[in-house]
Amino acid sequence: MKNPWEEIPLDDYENHMKLDSVMQLQAMNAMMKGQFDTYPISSVMVLGVAGGNGLEHIQKEKFEKVYGVDINASYLQEVVLRYPDLTGVLECLCINLMEETNKLPKADMVIANLLLEYIGYECFQKAIKQVNSQFVSCIIQINMEDNWVSDSPYLHVFDGLEQVHHQMEEQALEESMIGIDYHIVRTLERLLPNGKKLVQIDFERKKPI
């Protein structure tokens, strides 16, 4: 059975995410600048890169390697077209994280924004252990009201996601990361329309004594 993310057109996804009533594309873009700039790293992996929102903040002089990972090959093709200036630094990898975490290369940092909701904590733990990164930065959506997809003209494009969606909780994420020896170093919140907020939680692997 195909993952529903393989069927969702990128235009529909991005047009929904940037509606004034949703504002997630814009909020994530601003937050991603901090994700790329804050830590002393030379390689980074963006899990669930979609169309590459935020990659314009990549400083080529800082990064030797940027991996963009997604399950949807057409999304990755668009990323390459949108960011020709990252040629030689950016490598796009079409990987199903539910089945192929062993294909992930190593990187200093993993960024996973609005991804955990669709793979769950256990799969994310496997991915992080495989990448063996020092830093992990996650943005999760917290719903202060019932619906987790905001109302929009594109709403029914996302109907299939019910089968793979997991509701996120900050404490559960922290506990799952402590279980693989990563500890919180930073948290940020950004309120959105429609009773939602984005929560960024950054982790660092505990250094061996």
Side-chain angles (χ1 to χ4, degrees):
M1 185 180 71
K2 271 196 164 187
N3 187 294
W5 276 111
E6 295 176 81
E7 310 285 346
I8 296 173
L10 183 61
D11 282 350
D12 288 350
Y13 170 63
E14 291 185 332
N15 286 334
H16 167 81
M17 292 282 281
K18 68 185 181 186
L19 287 169
D20 288 344
S21 58
V22 179
M23 292 291 287
Q24 289 192 9
L25 204 73
Q26 299 91 324
M28 267 206 308
N29 187 286
M31 294 170 85
M32 286 182 79
K33 186 177 190 310
Q35 288 177 309
F36 289 130
D37 292 349
T38 300
Y39 301 102
I41 54 174
S42 61
S43 60
V44 63
M45 180 180 296
V46 182
L47 297 178
V49 71
N53 179 39
L55 292 185
E56 68 269 26
H57 301 305
I58 291 282
Q59 303 172 49
K60 280 188 77 172
E61 64 274 12
K62 174 178 178 175
F63 289 96
E64 296 171 11
K65 198 72 178 179
V66 176
Y67 296 103
V69 178
D70 208 281
I71 194 173
N72 190 313
S74 65
Y75 290 4
L76 297 174
Q77 290 168 6
E78 187 62 28
V79 172
V80 172
L81 291 174
R82 289 177 177 180
Y83 297 97
D85 54 316
L86 293 179
T87 299
V89 174
L90 176 64
E91 182 177 345
C92 289
L93 303 170
C94 189
I95 293 175
N96 181 346
L97 294 174
M98 299 302 292
E99 300 170 1
E100 303 173 313
T101 51
N102 61 308
K103 293 184 179 180
L104 295 170
K106 308 302 181 192
D108 297 336
M109 181 175 180
V110 169
I111 292 174
N113 296 337
L114 303 187
L115 170 84
L116 275 76
E117 287 88 339
Y118 304 105
I119 64 171
Y121 302 119
E122 188 177 342
C123 179
F124 190 59
Q125 285 178 319
K126 284 184 187 175
I128 297 305
K129 286 195 285 187
Q130 170 68 22
V131 179
N132 195 30
S133 58
Q134 183 179 356
F135 300 99
V136 177
S137 182
C138 309
I139 294 176
I140 60 174
Q141 176 180 299
I142 301 297
N143 306 309
M144 293 169 279
E145 296 175 3
D146 286 341
N147 14 328
W148 55 275
V149 177
S150 297
D151 191 25
S152 89
Y154 305 96
L155 184 63
H156 292 297
V157 173
F158 304 103
D159 285 349
L161 293 180
E162 285 280 1
Q163 59 188 295
V164 293
H165 182 261
H166 306 73
Q167 183 58 51
M168 289 291 104
E169 296 177 4
E170 295 168 64
Q171 186 171 348
L173 174 57
E174 180 182 2
E175 288 170 0
S176 72
M177 293 299 285
I178 287 172
I180 54 172
D181 216 20
Y182 285 80
H183 299 264
I184 291 179
V185 291
R186 187 174 186 233
T187 58
L188 297 167
E189 291 189 0
R190 190 163 184 134
L191 291 175
L192 299 170
N194 291 351
K196 303 180 191 308
K197 65 179 177 179
L198 296 182
V199 178
Q200 178 184 329
I201 309 176
D202 294 356
F203 301 88
E204 184 174 5
R205 187 175 56 206
K206 192 173 182 181
K207 296 178 176 64
I209 297 172

